Amino acid sequence: MPAAGSTAVAAEAAEPSRPAAGFVEEEGVSKLFGRFITDRAAVDEDLYYITADSMSESDPFPQRYPDRFVNVGMAEQNAVSIGSGLAQSGKNVYLSNISTFLLYRPFDQIRLDAAHANARLRLIGTSAGFSRAMYGNAHISIEDIAVLRALPNMTVVAPGDRTELLDLLAEIDQLPGPAYIRLPMESTVLPVLHPQGTRIRLGRSAVLREGDLGTLIATGHVLEQAVAWVDEWRRKGFAVRLVSMPSIKPLDTARVEELVAEGRPIATFEEHSVIGGLGSAVAETVAEAGGGVPFRRIGLPDRYPGRPGSADYLKQVLHVPGSEHVLAWFLSASRARRPSPVKAAALVDDLCYDGAVYDQRYADYADDVPFWRDLARRHGPDVLELATGTGRISIPLAKDGHDVTGIDVAPAMLREAERKRNPGLPLKLHEADMRDFDLGRRFRLVLLPCDSISHLLNDSDIAACLARVREHLADDGVFALDMVNPAATLTAEADGRWRPAFQYRDPRSGQAVEVSRARQYDPVSQVLVDEMEYRRDGVEHVERVTRHSRMLTLEQAERLLAKGGFTVTQRYGGFAGEPWTATSRHLVLVCAKSKEESR
């Protein structure tokens, strides 16, 4: 269930990879940071580095670029003011210090000189959380995320492994405004937890382990511990998905909204107060999504430990939940959610993503094909179809002589389309997510047929898709899509009652499969939940799978299209070109790019 641009990693493929080329495995976070800014300074003559008596003797920057290095001594307020002044004069400024001294003493300067002024100042805070708790209360930084993410213009990230640190440093280097990078003790050697080739981006999360019991979202230097927990639980037979969320502001809200729509328990894990950190940021999104899933924040309670000690010792003093307690919560929360059906991956593939099964289900459905063919005849010749599936529409368009490109996220659907196509057809197929693709060209006509927009469960997903459509559509091109009308189709069907749905023959085993379906519709979230039961060759053993669909009204669809830069030029109530009415089963919209530069 990856969100737009997110990285999904199968559990069995998540072995640590080698560090990035050019970085020594034993380097701690401060050395990695020092090497990064030194390399960047070689190509960016405006890059400046400031410390407040906290630099390492092995830091290469001062030796190589002494005219761009400033050590202000133990004067943290001056460090921020000097850095912000340099930034407002066009410089790219990095300010590094132990996080408690970096943030709390000069907070007024950070708020006014950096955040309010939107200065290009990068705050590198080391020894966050309980990293330096042995030195006493002045070195405990457990509210830094809460303080910084409340500041307008401020970006906040907490890398949990080497890949996240290096990629996010590169991303933040290009930002026009201030940012805070939260790091552990300066000498900490971050592990490599993402597979080689993974790219981490601001505002995006990454799946490190898959599982159907629930989801644990972790950030910062507890990510390695989260991996150990999830792997330990898997060995016991309990599979929990692990999501790394290094970008806290901006947050990957699309990912969280998808998890809420899935309906399984969600927990967050961080070495920060449960107030204001990752847990609060995710909780805000969970609440606004309106899904009502079990949710828990695993972090530090709302009190100071009152004594020095190691991180493990202080967590025991504060009764922070450990692995066994968190697993017990997932198990109890999952039981409380029953009878929510358990997804069986093979059955999901059968019904939703297996091309041969899809074609069996819709073998007699062709009502819409003449409409799309006529649209291509008038607006082609080059056509892009999103969610092309098994080529039910793209193949006839290619047979008409159009230059057709189709994308779909399901490899099995594309394989079936490849099997069905004739050699020599002007049809190119790509495996891609319609929220995040780049084909390097524009099209006269872009199609999103078959109510495929319903697979995008929230406004941010739809916005991402529309942004890609706009980028790939010629300025005078046409974008057309269709969806079902919830007012006309859900009244009788979405009552939660089981009804016979359809039959098909499993293309792998040859078994006859009977499917019954019950549907429920939440008018608040506008999500339609399909629960489907399988019986194979008459055997009464029942397996169940769930799918979620987002149902849009005409007003919502047109509002989202307008926000995405499109103007609806025609609307129909069906594929025969009949006018739209409130009782129409279908809503077909034909759109052009909006002419206004600002929307």
Side-chain angles (χ1 to χ4, degrees):
M1 185 209 62
S6 300
T7 303
V9 181
E12 58 271 20
E15 289 297 321
S17 65
R18 300 302 302 165
F23 291 91
V24 181
E25 190 167 354
E26 290 76 19
E27 286 180 317
V29 293
S30 285
K31 286 188 177 181
L32 283 175
F33 163 68
R35 187 184 291 271
F36 171 83
I37 59 170
T38 303
D39 290 345
R40 283 294 303 140
V43 295
D44 181 1
E45 295 182 354
D46 286 328
L47 192 148
Y48 279 68
Y49 177 30
I50 299 176
T51 68
D53 202 35
S54 64
M55 62 173 290
S56 167
E57 292 182 359
S58 61
D59 197 327
F61 192 100
Q63 287 76 35
R64 192 170 301 177
Y65 303 106
D67 56 332
R68 288 187 267 160
F69 171 72
V70 181
N71 185 347
V72 303
M74 299 177 66
E76 290 83 2
Q77 293 94 337
N78 288 348
V80 175
S81 293
I82 292 170
S84 298
L86 285 169
Q88 292 182 61
S89 67
K91 308 303 180 183
N92 183 16
V93 184
Y94 285 81
L95 170 55
S96 174
N97 203 347
I98 296 170
S99 57
T100 52
F101 307 138
L102 174 74
L103 305 178
Y104 302 144
R105 294 178 180 177
F107 180 72
D108 188 50
Q109 284 77 14
I110 291 173
R111 177 174 174 266
L112 293 177
D113 297 345
H116 189 276
N118 200 24
R120 198 178 177 195
L121 179 66
R122 289 77 169 89
L123 302 169
I124 312 298
T126 59
S127 296
F130 283 158
S131 299
R132 281 184 178 265
M134 288 292 295
Y135 294 86
N137 291 336
H139 291 259
I140 291 174
S141 179
I142 60 174
E143 60 283 276
D144 50 326
I145 295 175
V147 172
L148 269 293
R149 82 178 186 95
L151 293 178
N153 298 322
M154 183 67 69
T155 295
V156 179
V157 299
D161 90 327
R162 191 181 309 266
T163 302
E164 294 179 356
L165 172 58
L166 297 177
D167 282 359
L168 289 174
L169 277 171
E171 292 257 311
I172 283 173
D173 188 69
Q174 303 302 311
L175 289 179
Y180 170 54
I181 298 184
R182 186 183 205 250
L183 298 174
M185 179 88 78
E186 296 80 5
S187 60
T188 300
V189 177
L190 290 176
V192 179
L193 302 173
H194 294 277
Q196 198 164 22
T198 300
R199 172 71 186 276
I200 304 299
R201 292 184 171 91
L202 281 174
R204 305 291 177 86
S205 60
V207 178
L208 282 172
R209 299 291 190 272
E210 283 290 0
D212 58 13
L213 186 63
T215 299
L216 180 66
I217 305 175
T219 194
H221 54 274
V222 299
L223 181 62
E224 185 175 17
Q225 184 177 4
V227 169
W229 282 7
V230 170
D231 287 348
E232 173 194 348
W233 300 338
R234 183 176 294 275
R235 289 190 292 270
K236 295 178 180 179
F238 305 108
V240 173
R241 180 188 292 116
L242 175 61
V243 173
S244 176
M245 190 76 76
S247 178
I248 300 174
K249 184 185 178 184
L251 189 77
D252 189 350
T253 55
R255 169 80 68 183
V256 177
E257 289 167 350
E258 285 189 354
L259 295 174
V260 171
E262 188 180 64
R264 298 195 180 100
I266 302 171
T268 58
F269 183 33
E270 61 191 315
E271 194 171 288
H272 183 278
S273 170
V274 293
I275 296 177
L278 171 71
S280 292
V282 173
E284 291 158 11
T285 306
V286 170
E288 290 179 352
V293 298
F295 178 77
R296 185 173 183 183
R297 296 166 296 166
I298 311 299
L300 308 178
D302 184 27
R303 65 178 186 274
Y304 294 110
R307 67 189 78 178
S310 68
D312 289 342
Y313 168 71
L314 294 181
K315 288 176 184 179
Q316 290 179 5
V317 169
L318 296 173
H319 303 290
V320 176
S323 171
E324 67 281 4
H325 301 101
V326 179
L327 176 59
W329 178 81
F330 272 113
L331 292 171
S332 62
S334 297
R335 284 192 292 267
R337 291 293 291 175
R338 299 298 187 241
S340 293
V342 177
K343 265 188 182 175
L347 301 180
V348 176
D349 288 345
D350 276 357
L351 260 188
C352 309
Y353 304 118
D354 190 295
V357 172
Y358 178 89
D359 281 351
Q360 289 181 54
R361 292 179 61 188
Y362 297 104
D364 298 329
Y365 181 65
D367 293 352
D368 59 338
V369 175
F371 178 87
W372 306 117
R373 292 177 74 175
D374 181 65
L375 204 62
R377 179 182 57 80
R378 290 185 284 117
H379 299 288
D382 49 328
V383 182
L384 169 63
E385 184 189 8
L386 310 184
T388 194
T390 64
R392 188 179 66 84
I393 294 169
S394 58
I395 290 176
L397 296 185
K399 287 181 178 179
D400 288 344
H402 300 291
D403 176 15
V404 182
T405 299
I407 70 167
D408 201 284
V409 76
M413 301 284 271
L414 294 173
R415 284 195 297 269
E416 187 66 13
E418 289 283 7
R419 187 191 66 80
K420 290 161 47 178
R421 65 181 293 182
N422 295 328
L425 271 184
L427 173 61
K428 295 177 285 293
L429 299 172
H430 300 274
E431 181 183 340
D433 190 318
M434 60 183 168
R435 298 165 296 185
D436 187 17
F437 64 94
D438 185 1
L439 301 176
R441 58 171 294 194
R442 291 190 172 190
F443 299 82
R444 295 274 302 163
L445 177 63
V446 178
L447 303 180
L448 180 56
C450 307
D451 192 34
S452 296
I453 196 172
S454 68
H455 297 305
L456 305 175
L457 298 181
N458 51 65
D459 288 1
S460 58
D461 279 351
I462 294 175
C465 175
L466 294 179
R468 303 317 304 147
V469 171
R470 186 174 173 84
E471 182 68 24
H472 286 77
L473 186 65
D475 289 340
D476 57 348
V478 169
F479 172 44
L481 68 160
D482 77 89
M483 60 198 76
V484 299
N485 177 12
T489 60
L490 298 180
T491 305
E493 298 177 18
D495 56 6
R497 297 179 182 176
W498 289 95
R499 296 181 176 87
F502 52 89
Q503 297 181 347
Y504 71 95
R505 187 161 296 278
D506 189 320
R508 293 185 291 267
S509 66
Q511 291 180 313
V513 180
E514 303 171 25
V515 181
S516 298
R517 179 171 68 185
R519 314 182 88 187
Q520 289 184 304
Y521 178 65
D522 180 0
V524 177
S525 63
Q526 294 181 284
V527 171
L528 174 67
V529 179
D530 272 313
E531 295 186 41
M532 288 168 276
E533 289 186 345
Y534 287 66
R535 290 172 176 81
R536 297 183 182 272
D537 276 343
V539 178
E540 288 303 313
H541 175 66
V542 173
E543 299 169 289
R544 190 175 292 179
V545 65
T546 298
R547 287 190 67 195
H548 297 80
S549 303
R550 170 85 180 276
M551 315 296 287
L552 294 174
T553 65
L554 170 63
E555 293 75 16
Q556 289 173 318
E558 293 193 337
R559 173 181 59 81
L560 290 167
L561 285 163
K563 191 174 180 181
F566 294 95
T567 300
V568 175
T569 58
Q570 295 168 302
R571 62 177 69 88
Y572 303 105
F575 299 105
E578 59 268 38
W580 156 261
T581 69
T583 59
S584 297
R585 180 175 178 82
H586 293 278
L587 170 60
V588 186
L589 299 176
V590 180
C591 312
K593 278 187 174 181
S594 300
K595 300 301 181 183
E596 297 83 357
E597 288 296 324
S598 59
R599 301 181 297 278

